[in-house]
């Protein structure tokens, strides 16, 4: 059984003007790691995709993967490529609900 005591939130590091759908994330990670490193991905419209089973160790936070879940949201850079909080209201709401559900019932696998 895998013990989860950390949820790591990432951004896809893509511009707010650039679409990066879940299929692009999966293809990018498959080329780098052979699998998707994040457990969940939240697109700009607020849709939450489970991209890796929670029982499987991810590839998203070196030295922390064994005991964490990785959540990534689409965006993270402004139109010029600078770091920015580009989360939409839909992403913020979905992220909140996902974190609450993970916290309440799924922190130990």
């Amino acid at each position: 059984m895998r013990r989860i005591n950390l949820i790591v939130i990432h951004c896809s590091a893509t511009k707010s003007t650039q679409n990066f759908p879940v299929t692009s994330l999966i293809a990018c990670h498959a080329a780098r790691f052979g699998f998707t490193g994040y457990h969940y991905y939240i697109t700009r419209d607020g849709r939450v995709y489970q991209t890796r089973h929670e029982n499987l160790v991810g590839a998203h936070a070196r030295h922390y993967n064994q005991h964490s879940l990785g959540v990534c949201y689409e965006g993270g850079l402004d139109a010029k490529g600078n770091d920015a909080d580009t989360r939409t209201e839909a992403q913020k709401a979905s992220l909140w609900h996902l974190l609450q559900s993970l916290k309440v019932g799924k922190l130990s696998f």
Side-chain angles (χ1 to χ4, degrees):
M1 175 159 45
R2 199 161 91 87
R3 176 103 176 117
I4 304 299
N5 61 16
L6 183 65
I7 299 171
V8 182
I9 301 170
H10 303 268
C11 69
S12 64
T14 51
K15 293 181 182 179
S16 57
T17 56
Q18 174 188 0
N19 284 331
F20 197 66
V22 68
T23 53
S24 295
L25 172 82
I26 291 169
C28 177
H29 275 226
R32 291 175 65 197
F33 309 113
F35 58 85
T36 304
Y38 302 121
H39 296 88
Y40 292 94
Y41 186 61
I42 305 172
T43 52
R44 285 191 179 90
D45 62 3
R47 288 194 64 182
V48 176
Y49 296 89
Q50 185 171 3
T51 53
R52 184 165 185 75
H53 195 282
E54 294 168 352
N55 286 335
L56 299 175
V57 175
H60 59 91
R62 180 181 270 178
H63 305 299
Y64 296 93
N65 289 321
Q66 283 295 117
H67 59 90
S68 68
L69 293 177
V71 176
C72 181
Y73 68 88
E74 180 182 12
L77 302 177
D78 66 17
K80 294 182 180 181
N82 299 311
D83 294 344
D85 183 357
T86 61
R87 292 174 298 158
T88 64
E89 292 303 315
Q91 281 177 309
K92 290 176 184 178
S94 293
L95 179 60
W96 176 256
H97 291 294
L98 176 61
L99 293 176
Q100 289 300 310
S101 71
L102 293 172
K103 180 182 172 189
V104 168
K106 300 182 178 178
L107 290 181
S108 187
F109 301 100

